[in-house]
Amino acid sequence: MDKYFIQKKDTAKFLDNLSRDYGVYVPYRIKGKEIPCDLNLKLPTDDYLLESWDRIKKEDFTFNEYRAIEPLRTFFAFPKERLRLDEEEKKAAIFGVKNCDLFSLKIQDFVFLDGEARDPFYERRRQNALLISGDCPSFKETCFCRSLDINPYPSEGFDINFSPLDENFLVDTGSQRGEEIIKSSGLFNHATPAQISRRDEKRNSVVKRLTEHLAFHQIPPKDVLQEIVRDGYESDVWREEASSCVECGGCNLSCDTCHCFLLSEDRLKDTNEKIRAWDACLYANFARVAGGANPLKRRYQRLRNRYLKKFDFFPDNIKLNACCGCGRCIDVCPGKIDIRRILRRLNEEKSVSAH
Amino acid sequence: MKKNPYQPIETNLIEVISESPVIKTFVLQPKEGFRFNTGQFIELSLNGTGEAPFTPSSDPNISKEIEVTIMNAGRLTAGLHQLKNGETLGIRGPYGKGYPLNEFKGKNILIVGGGVGLAPLRSLIYSLLADTSSFGKIYLCYGAKTPQDIIYKNQIQKWKRAIDIKISVDRADDDWKGNVGVVTTLLNDFKENLSNFISIVCGPPIMMKFTTYKLIDIGFKPSDIYLSMEKNMSCGLGKCGHCRMGRFYVCKDGPVFTFDKIKDMHDLWD
Ligand SMILES: Cc1cc2nc3c(=O)[nH]c(=O)nc-3n(C[C@H](O)[C@H](O)[C@H](O)COP(=O)(O)OP(=O)(O)OC[C@H]3O[C@@H](n4cnc5c(N)ncnc54)[C@H](O)[C@@H]3O)c2cc1C
Ligand code: SF4
Ligand code: SF4
Ligand code: FES
């Protein structure tokens, strides 16, 4: 695959061209709530939503500095949908995907595409979608991808990747389809070695700043997470942290790597089609069975269950932690429950008990 | 077009058999071919009301009709209990791994059932009886709350020719001449040589817990005890995340597990 260069002013034309074949989504900037940074790094606080290109003013087009509010899975298994296969859908081209999102697709692909029962809804959208990712020239206070060895820039899993370079973009292609789209558009030049090395410098400097920021949070390395959630099963951390949970389910529903859903019936129409909606394991009835028995009756059990799913179940099954460090769950939680703090506390308890 | 794994097959309800005051057997005739292995489960739905997992209780070798034995335990099952012949239901599946009949070949088999847990075991018993020469001796210990709650009374009479059957009730009535006490009491005088034995248990969690400990007590190896685990389920396909138990999804990796695979899990019986 190759490296190209495009001027910012041509990007709108590129997206316009794409929207002939695709439903194009782009980042749309909204004012975010301020989250104070402990190290005074003056981190940006705005947020981004992925909006339809047709619905925003062209001058509002922006390159997102970090991941959007909605998790990428929103495009592949809709938050709520009627499961019928006969409806035509426009292919999606998603601009503004970040590397944390691309990592999360490994989890989602395992869930929806692995095994005998592939999910045809997910599969179709995933195959059709054009993933246009981008480097993160900055990060949010809550971003902690690097703690999980995930870089703030993509190196695989995209069709096309945009790296900001001054006002313009250096562009990598990551798939045959991406390559063809770039070539046929006539809007891209080949990148020069100087442009490539400047891009790499920028990437390294973001990693350096992010590493400094993360040092403050003392998040344990990714290889010990399974051990600390297992050994911390009886820890008081769960009860203490869960005491401010209001069971909104926001952590689950905003999460890039969560995937749980509930099938239900249509109560109005006389049909046996299923309706699928995202579910949240922090909800009280998530694990309830007939007669009212519930293995996850208490909030702390449900909070713990979320961590066991991410850092025990998934490593056991596919050797990956089901967390990409996107920090969405931290941003969203009204109870100020912070995954970085929980992992740090479990790790501290573990090292204390080891002495 | 690709197949939609969430779409149920329309199914006629052709007969409803009352088994006990709270348990009925539903005889279903799917409008498309439908086969299952014994111990696999299905998702049964009633339009506009809900869907839940049930294990067919009929002979898997009979494919035209499927029987499901269901206890009235809540919203959906109450709705099902009100149905009459001729209604249409939805059925998806079959799901899960079911009973590994090949592993049972040449072995003596102790089956322990509690309450409506006899439903999947009936399907198993039909499979065993269809091929008795492949298996050793078969024993059945069954516990019900009261004599009224004993299901499959007619079939049990017929099975007695081929199976050593003991039944216990928690609470007797005036006519009851048999054992009284929880089902584990039937195992007190189980004095067989266990070197070539397996045990298969299905019932409510508390019954499975005490039965498993009892079986270990009398000498069964954890790897020779087959348990049917019940968890909340939605998809049946290993996707919705509801039925996780440790590193397993009960719907996909189970619902039947040998005890050695799960014995170290936290809160196993909750
Ligand atoms: C593999 C398997 C096989 C089973 N086989 C049988 C059988 O052969 N016969 C039988 O009588 N029962 C069987 N059950 C139990 C049966 O699924 C429950 O009785 C049934 O789900 C109760 O539904 P309800 O709406 O009537 O109960 P309610 O208590 O009213 O349920 C209300 C809600 O609770 C939740 N819920 C409760 N139990 C379950 C569950 N097990 N799975 C998913 N959601 C649940 C759902 O959200 C449901 O909408 C089986 C369960 C499993 C997991
Ligand atoms: S976002 Fe916070 S308050 Fe809401 S369910 Fe998750 S942990 Fe609880
Ligand atoms: S657990 Fe939190 S940080 Fe990890 S992927 Fe989910 S939302 Fe992102
Ligand atoms: S029932 Fe959905 S994963 Fe098991």
Side-chain angles (χ1 to χ4, degrees):
Chain A
M1 299 295 125
D2 228 333
K3 293 185 167 47
Y4 299 89
F5 183 81
I6 187 172
Q7 306 227 314
K8 185 174 183 199
K9 66 177 172 48
D10 290 330
T11 316
K13 217 178 294 166
F14 172 64
L15 296 172
D16 272 337
N17 290 350
L18 269 184
S19 52
R20 284 199 295 263
D21 298 323
Y22 292 91
V24 177
Y25 293 85
V26 297
Y28 178 74
R29 186 192 293 268
I30 56 171
K31 203 88 201 115
K33 66 171 181 212
E34 301 260 338
I35 299 177
C37 163
D38 304 292
L39 293 179
N40 250 327
L41 289 179
K42 299 210 177 7
L43 298 175
T45 54
D46 283 352
D47 266 310
Y48 300 91
L49 286 171
L50 297 177
E51 260 292 3
S52 174
W53 174 239
D54 303 335
R55 289 178 46 195
I56 69 163
K57 295 203 219 74
K58 302 307 168 225
E59 59 271 27
D60 285 343
F61 169 70
T62 180
F63 181 87
N64 50 332
E65 299 157 287
Y66 33 77
R67 87 309 187 263
I69 287 180
E70 61 271 70
L72 185 56
R73 63 181 167 121
T74 311
F75 291 91
F76 304 124
F78 300 157
K80 184 173 181 189
E81 61 179 312
R82 181 180 293 275
L83 295 175
R84 41 183 316 167
L85 270 176
D86 52 1
E87 277 163 18
E88 285 290 320
E89 280 175 20
K90 203 164 181 188
K91 299 187 272 188
I94 312 153
F95 186 99
V97 175
K98 296 302 184 186
N99 200 31
C100 51
D101 299 322
L102 291 176
F103 172 87
S104 300
L105 285 186
K106 295 183 193 176
I107 305 293
Q108 303 295 345
D109 285 353
F110 165 72
V111 172
F112 288 104
L113 300 180
D114 193 72
E116 294 141 46
R118 296 165 77 84
D119 182 291
F121 303 91
Y122 181 97
E123 186 172 27
R124 179 173 67 179
R125 292 169 195 150
R126 178 81 168 89
Q127 277 169 356
N128 286 342
L130 188 74
L131 296 177
I132 311 175
S133 58
D135 293 9
C136 297
S138 187
F139 50 86
K140 272 198 105 171
E141 201 281 326
T142 50
C143 293
F144 64 103
C145 54
R146 270 304 308 155
S147 299
L148 296 153
D149 288 352
I150 295 165
N151 282 319
Y153 55 86
S155 38
E156 57 170 11
F158 54 83
D159 292 296
I160 300 171
N161 184 69
F162 277 58
S163 310
L165 214 55
D166 310 322
E167 282 293 275
N168 308 314
F169 300 101
L170 191 145
V171 177
D172 287 83
T173 52
S175 71
Q176 204 50 50
R177 182 155 59 136
E179 184 73 32
E180 277 157 24
I181 288 171
I182 298 283
K183 279 215 183 99
S184 63
S185 79
L187 294 166
F188 296 78
N189 298 318
H190 277 282
T192 65
Q195 285 168 334
I196 297 169
S197 70
R198 261 200 308 133
R199 189 273 302 269
D200 293 348
E201 276 164 33
K202 280 183 189 298
R203 284 181 167 182
N204 293 339
S205 98
V206 175
V207 170
K208 189 156 161 279
R209 255 161 61 89
L210 181 54
T211 309
E212 265 172 54
H213 168 69
L214 293 177
F216 176 85
H217 289 280
Q218 296 174 41
I219 302 161
K222 79 172 200 299
D223 301 323
V224 306
L225 300 178
Q226 182 169 26
E227 196 183 326
I228 62 174
V229 297
R230 273 192 188 175
D231 293 357
Y233 192 85
E234 306 288 354
S235 168
D236 290 336
V237 166
W238 305 117
R239 280 168 208 272
E240 289 165 17
E241 293 283 350
S243 67
S244 61
C245 172
V246 298
E247 305 179 35
C248 65
C251 49
N252 295 123
L253 301 175
S254 68
C255 179
D256 233 1
T257 51
C258 278
H259 64 85
C260 292
F261 62 79
L262 188 69
L263 299 172
S264 60
E265 317 294 305
D266 189 326
R267 294 192 199 290
L268 299 174
K269 267 170 84 179
D270 190 25
T271 161
N272 61 11
E273 281 164 13
K274 298 287 169 228
I275 296 170
R276 169 168 69 189
W278 290 0
D279 205 352
C281 63
L282 269 291
Y283 291 160
N285 281 338
F286 183 80
R288 182 185 166 276
V289 296
N294 186 350
L296 303 176
K297 202 182 244 80
R298 313 280 304 269
R299 267 178 304 169
Y300 83 87
Q301 295 173 316
R302 298 197 289 277
L303 184 67
R304 179 175 65 193
N305 172 69
R306 176 167 153 79
Y307 284 72
L308 287 168
K309 176 74 183 279
K310 293 191 172 301
F311 302 113
D312 192 22
F313 174 90
F314 274 104
D316 263 350
N317 279 283
I318 54 169
K319 299 192 164 55
L320 290 174
N321 292 309
C323 174
C324 64
C326 68
R328 288 177 172 100
C329 57
I330 311 170
D331 278 352
V332 81
C333 182
K336 298 206 169 8
I337 297 172
D338 186 329
I339 184 168
R340 298 168 300 183
R341 184 178 63 229
I342 291 182
L343 294 175
R344 191 195 70 221
R345 289 187 64 189
L346 291 172
N347 195 39
E348 282 167 0
E349 279 191 359
K350 168 121 178 109
S351 38
V352 168
S353 65
H355 286 297
Chain B
M1 196 161 59
K2 288 215 174 74
K3 207 173 152 293
N4 177 354
Y6 306 105
Q7 181 64 45
I9 297 170
E10 281 197 358
T11 304
N12 290 326
L13 175 60
I14 58 171
E15 196 185 345
V16 182
I17 304 162
S18 189
E19 307 279 5
S20 87
V22 290
I23 298 175
K24 288 182 177 176
T25 294
F26 298 80
V27 185
L28 307 172
Q29 210 168 55
K31 293 186 181 171
E32 296 166 31
F34 192 97
R35 299 201 71 104
F36 67 95
N37 294 325
T38 181
Q40 283 190 302
F41 68 95
I42 59 159
E43 287 280 345
L44 185 66
S45 53
L46 180 58
N47 284 358
T49 303
E51 185 181 53
F54 301 97
T55 316
S57 57
S58 53
D59 185 344
N61 297 310
I62 298 172
S63 59
K64 227 172 58 245
E65 288 167 14
I66 295 171
E67 296 179 21
V68 190
T69 303
I70 296 175
M71 182 162 85
N72 184 346
R75 232 173 56 84
L76 170 70
T77 48
L80 291 171
H81 270 242
Q82 283 169 8
L83 298 181
K84 303 209 168 51
N85 307 349
E87 305 262 2
T88 304
L89 294 169
I91 182 174
R92 297 190 285 128
Y95 300 121
K97 298 223 190 305
Y99 291 113
L101 288 178
N102 276 331
E103 290 174 21
F104 302 166
K105 294 235 162 103
K107 305 238 166 103
N108 299 314
I109 299 172
L110 168 62
I111 300 170
V112 191
V116 78
L118 193 58
L121 296 173
R122 185 175 74 164
S123 161
L124 172 71
I125 289 169
Y126 285 136
S127 307
L128 298 177
L129 293 184
D131 186 19
T132 41
S133 60
S134 292
F135 307 98
K137 280 195 76 176
I138 304 172
Y139 299 76
L140 169 65
C141 293
Y142 175 49
K145 282 206 183 89
T146 71
Q148 273 202 335
D149 293 301
I150 296 172
I151 60 174
Y152 307 145
K153 289 191 182 78
N154 294 336
Q155 284 97 335
I156 288 176
Q157 283 312 318
K158 290 189 198 137
W159 296 340
K160 278 187 173 159
R161 268 174 277 148
I163 302 179
D164 185 332
I165 300 179
K166 290 201 178 72
I167 299 179
S168 180
V169 296
D170 297 350
R171 273 170 286 119
D173 58 16
D174 294 342
D175 300 328
W176 181 250
K177 308 267 184 314
N179 300 291
V180 179
V182 292
V183 70
T184 46
T185 57
L186 295 175
L187 298 169
N188 284 338
D189 42 34
F190 193 78
K191 294 271 166 6
E192 310 295 326
N193 173 1
L194 297 182
S195 61
N196 194 33
F197 246 101
I198 55 131
S199 181
I200 300 161
V201 189
C202 187
I206 186 89
M207 171 269 177
M208 300 238 289
K209 175 178 173 178
F210 288 110
T211 305
T212 302
Y213 291 144
K214 184 78 189 177
L215 290 169
I216 297 283
D217 244 17
I218 63 176
F220 276 92
K221 289 206 299 277
S223 55
D224 288 335
I225 303 173
Y226 293 79
L227 303 169
S228 293
M229 301 309 287
E230 182 180 348
K231 290 281 168 210
N232 179 307
M233 291 184 180
S234 182
C235 71
L237 296 158
K239 309 224 173 298
C240 76
H242 277 268
C243 66
R244 188 180 73 84
M245 185 176 74
R247 64 179 184 280
F248 300 123
Y249 281 141
V250 173
C251 69
K252 184 162 140 276
D253 305 307
V256 179
F257 293 91
T258 51
F259 185 51
D260 61 316
K261 296 259 178 356
I262 56 178
K263 67 181 186 353
D264 296 327
M265 286 180 186
H266 292 282
D267 309 320
L268 182 61
W269 311 104
D270 283 1

